[in-house]
Amino acid sequence: MSERRVTIKEVAERAGVSKGAVSLAMNDRPGLSPATRERIRKAATDLGWMPSLSARSLSSAQISSIGLAIARPARMLGLEPFYMEFISGIQSVLAGRSCSLLLRLVRSMDEEITVHDGWWKTRQISGSILVDFTEDDPRIPALTALGLPVIAVGDPSLTGRFPSVWTDDAVAVTEAVRYLAALGHRWIARVGGPEGLGHSGIRTRAFTEAVTELGLEPGRNLATDYSGEQGARATRALLSSARRPTAILYDNDITAVAGLSVAAEMGVSIPGELSLLAWDDSQLCRLTHPTLSAMSHDVFGYGEEVARRLMAVLEHGADVSGPVATPVLIPRGSTAQPRS
């Protein structure tokens, strides 16, 4: 015997009331006599009917879902340690509040704006987390006009008037360059992220300024999409150049691991001939041989803090903007003094 979903209309007919009265009774709203409320609940029980979770969330002020849209191919997102850790941190906070994360992968900023617009207008979310800001980010005016509550993950120079949470990437990059220079490296290169991302620009400028300030040879900055394929390609280009760097700073763990593989492929000794310094410090950095030195960042904790601050915005309208801990240097086996 196939099961059929009982409707609110059937409950109303059985109890002899309107559908609106059923909604009031099942959501504990005022406006009904105790006898009517009890009759409706008995009818619902007899028919085996329960209001849907989505309908309940839309009719209450409870924070039930938070949105997060990321412009990444699904395959790449699954391989990227940063977002896996970041999303896990967010979810750990939301789960404690019986709140869900509504995740969507998009292909462009315009698509992301459309997604947020739809989520907000159909009341699927209470607020959103925005990531990967660009210079003159089009989401700022669009979502401000929409009135969508958000927490921005990015430097306040990029996020407009949105409350924001960020790490001081410029300070971290400067520390990384100074460390490599202190080891004796004069020719340092960087394998960065996409050129359009705001935090990539911040890191690039900090790298160039640090190299200049320390009187080092002008270092090359190569952009990637954070994938292992492009990290390997960038490393191969650097190691094939007429002036090979003695140290490379990477913007994420995947490109650094790919760079380590390329060095082995080309017979370049790590760290004897080349030092490698990764970013974020996921488990990948401790599984390689040699283990990768890294600018270590508690990405799980970062996600937790972002979720907590968004909740403060939604529940209290609090001013939550502020930095989280700056990535710190963890030296391991992939960095050393260059050979004379």
Side-chain angles (χ1 to χ4, degrees), residues 38-62:
E38 181 59 31
R39 188 168 74 254
I40 292 170
R41 289 180 173 172
K42 184 176 187 306
T45 300
D46 291 345
L47 292 172
W49 180 83
M50 286 291 292
S52 70
L53 180 60
S54 60
R56 278 187 164 180
S57 67
L58 295 179
S59 64
S60 69
Q62 181 181 3

Side-chain angles (χ1 to χ4, degrees), residues 286-298:
R286 292 177 284 282
L287 296 175
T288 59
H289 181 74
T291 53
L292 283 166
S293 300
M295 299 305 297
S296 186
H297 182 201
D298 181 4

Side-chain angles (χ1 to χ4, degrees), residues 41-319:
R41 289 180 173 172
K42 184 176 187 306
T45 300
D46 291 345
L47 292 172
W49 180 83
M50 286 291 292
S52 70
L53 180 60
S54 60
R56 278 187 164 180
S57 67
L58 295 179
S59 64
S60 69
Q62 181 181 3
I63 301 170
S64 60
S65 294
I66 298 301
L68 173 62
I70 303 175
R72 291 281 197 285
R75 178 175 173 273
M76 184 182 296
L77 187 70
L79 296 173
E80 191 169 3
F82 176 88
Y83 271 119
M84 293 299 96
E85 286 288 306
F86 184 71
I87 291 170
S88 295
I90 293 170
Q91 188 58 41
S92 72
V93 172
L94 299 187
R97 296 169 174 261
S98 298
C99 182
S100 300
L101 180 66
L102 189 55
L103 176 65
R104 178 76 172 268
L105 302 185
V106 297
R107 291 163 292 186
S108 66
M109 288 267 181
D110 288 341
E111 183 181 353
E112 181 176 346
I113 291 169
T114 300
V115 167
H116 283 296
D117 182 86
W119 280 345
W120 181 241
K121 287 181 178 177
T122 58
R123 303 175 68 184
Q124 293 183 67
I125 59 171
S126 300
S128 280
I129 297 168
L130 301 184
V131 298
D132 289 343
F133 278 81
T134 63
E135 300 282 352
D136 300 318
D137 197 297
R139 294 173 297 179
I140 296 174
L143 300 188
T144 298
L146 192 63
L148 172 65
V150 307
I151 188 77
V153 182
D155 189 273
S157 65
L158 303 167
T159 58
R161 295 185 178 181
F162 289 150
S164 57
V165 187
W166 69 94
T167 58
D168 196 333
D169 285 351
V171 167
V173 168
T174 301
E175 180 184 0
V177 174
R178 287 178 176 170
Y179 164 69
L180 293 171
L183 288 176
H185 294 279
R186 303 286 303 169
W187 187 266
I188 304 170
R190 175 173 165 266
V191 174
E195 291 179 319
L197 291 182
H199 69 263
S200 291
I202 289 172
R203 294 182 190 184
T204 297
R205 290 189 292 272
F207 176 81
T208 301
E209 290 170 6
V211 166
T212 301
E213 177 188 332
L214 295 169
L216 307 178
E217 299 290 339
R220 291 180 66 186
N221 273 286
L222 300 183
T224 72
D225 63 359
Y226 289 133
S227 69
E229 290 83 357
Q230 291 200 12
R233 189 176 301 122
T235 305
R236 199 172 287 114
L238 289 170
L239 298 185
S240 301
S241 61
R243 187 69 182 274
R244 177 186 288 178
T246 62
I248 304 175
L249 171 63
Y250 293 85
D251 261 21
N252 75 345
D253 292 345
I254 291 180
T255 52
V257 171
L260 186 63
S261 297
V262 168
E265 163 199 314
M266 299 181 69
V268 177
S269 172
I270 306 293
E273 297 176 84
L274 177 69
S275 286
L276 304 181
L277 183 56
W279 197 284
D280 289 332
D281 196 23
S282 71
Q283 285 293 325
L284 286 177
C285 293
R286 292 177 284 282
L287 296 175
T288 59
H289 181 74
T291 53
L292 283 166
S293 300
M295 299 305 297
S296 186
H297 182 201
D298 181 4
V299 178
F300 183 91
Y302 195 12
E304 287 182 312
E305 190 61 24
V306 166
R308 290 191 195 102
R309 296 196 194 190
L310 178 56
M311 289 298 173
V313 170
L314 296 175
E315 294 172 349
H316 312 295
D319 181 2

